[in-house]
Amino acid sequence: MNTRAELSELFTPIYDEFMLMGFQPEKQVMEQVFEVIDDNTKEYKTDGISGLGSWEEADELASGGYEELVLGYPKTYTPLKYWKKIQVSFEATAQDEYAMLKKETVTAKRIGIGGLDRVEKLGSAILYNGFSTTGPDGQYIFSNSHPKNREETGVTYDNLLDGPLSHDNLELAEKQISDNFFDMKGIPIPVTENPLLVYAPALRGTVKRLFSDRADYRPGIDPTTTSEMEINRFSGMYKPLEWRYLAASLGGSDTAWYIIYKELGFFKFIYGARPSFDNWIDKDIEAYIFKGRMLAVAGNSDYRGGFASTGL
């Protein structure tokens, strides 16, 4: 509990005012990458089911032509509870300088910043841990050994890209995506023209050189040794999205980069209960109580939601 003794500095004549430390919240990125779902059940379960394969040639008056559907790999999301509380004694708030803690809007904002931080951490961890965390098919989310489906495990697909983010590696990535982006029946999944390219702040300069509308020529070409400049065909392409929470200083990687197809809905963020704020008075111990609370979980239902490289 915050008592008057613990906050004695605030109750001396040398301070005319004090400020409850707080900053503008970090821009939320999670919702730009994940499909956000509100579901108040104990568990949220997903499972895929294949479509039908390519049509086959048939003879006149022939029978048959039936095909079995294939189930995908099930995934269960179990939201966990996250909260933060603060308790302030009546004696502490009796002083004018500390009375601002009784203001619901001020305290809610401070607690809310912590809630936003947790949401961003939950979402970003799914990406940067995707190189070492298994998905529903038993492989790492980003792996070169994803089975085609539960029955045809001998056919595998690869969504683990190679190398640091560069013009050449992005060209190789596009070929790899084309060669590995298939549904459970082996039918090509249409490739979005401008998917998200998500990265940590350390790659900001590289991204600017690759995608800027002014990047007319291929980055890395030395005009003093190259007679003909090569056009940078990635100028204006993709949807670059910088996410600070992917940085190495926050548990992620400064070199990894991700190509995400959000519209497929395979990266999910489930709210069992949206962040909420409450406050009440405990007259027994004579204190003001402030609390923020939510139920949430993030995850990946299918590796086809994206491709990624460690950048190494």
Side-chain angles (χ1 to χ4, degrees), residues 52-59 62-68 185 187:
L52 297 176
S54 185
W55 288 15
E56 300 174 352
E57 182 180 346
D59 295 329
S63 63
Y66 298 103
E67 183 171 343
E68 296 292 332
K185 286 292 187 176
I187 293 179

Side-chain angles (χ1 to χ4, degrees), residues 101-172:
L101 267 178
K102 292 189 294 185
K103 297 180 180 179
E104 179 179 342
T105 55
V106 172
T107 309
K109 182 178 179 180
R110 301 298 178 247
I111 294 177
I113 290 175
L116 173 61
D117 178 73
R118 175 52 58 190
V119 166
E120 294 293 285
K121 285 178 176 176
L122 288 173
S124 59
I126 299 302
L127 294 189
Y128 64 68
N129 286 329
F131 304 105
S132 58
T133 301
T134 56
D137 64 0
Q139 303 297 318
Y140 293 153
I141 294 174
F142 304 114
S143 165
N144 58 10
S145 304
H146 291 290
K148 178 180 178 181
N149 57 51
R150 290 161 69 173
E151 298 178 2
E152 298 177 84
T153 57
V155 179
T156 59
Y157 296 129
D158 180 0
N159 72 335
L160 179 62
L161 305 176
D162 293 321
L165 180 60
S166 68
H167 186 282
D168 288 349
N169 285 336
L170 196 52
E171 284 194 330
L172 292 174

Side-chain angles (χ1 to χ4, degrees), residues 176-205:
Q176 182 174 333
I177 292 171
S178 178
D179 291 343
N180 289 271
F181 212 17
F182 297 91
D183 68 13
M184 287 188 284
K185 286 292 187 176
I187 293 179
I189 297 173
V191 178
T192 304
E193 184 174 345
N194 286 319
L196 293 171
L197 192 140
V198 191
Y199 60 95
L203 293 177
R204 184 183 303 155

Side-chain angles (χ1 to χ4, degrees), residues 26-36 119-120 123 127 194-198 239-243 260-263 267 269:
E26 188 80 11
K27 179 182 178 182
Q28 188 171 26
V29 177
M30 182 278 294
E31 292 191 353
Q32 300 180 61
V33 179
F34 286 72
E35 178 188 16
V36 179
V119 166
E120 294 293 285
L127 294 189
N194 286 319
L196 293 171
L197 192 140
V198 191
K239 297 176 183 176
L241 181 62
E242 182 177 312
W243 199 353
I260 303 297
Y261 295 89
K262 180 187 176 181
E263 67 276 10
F267 286 96
F269 194 99

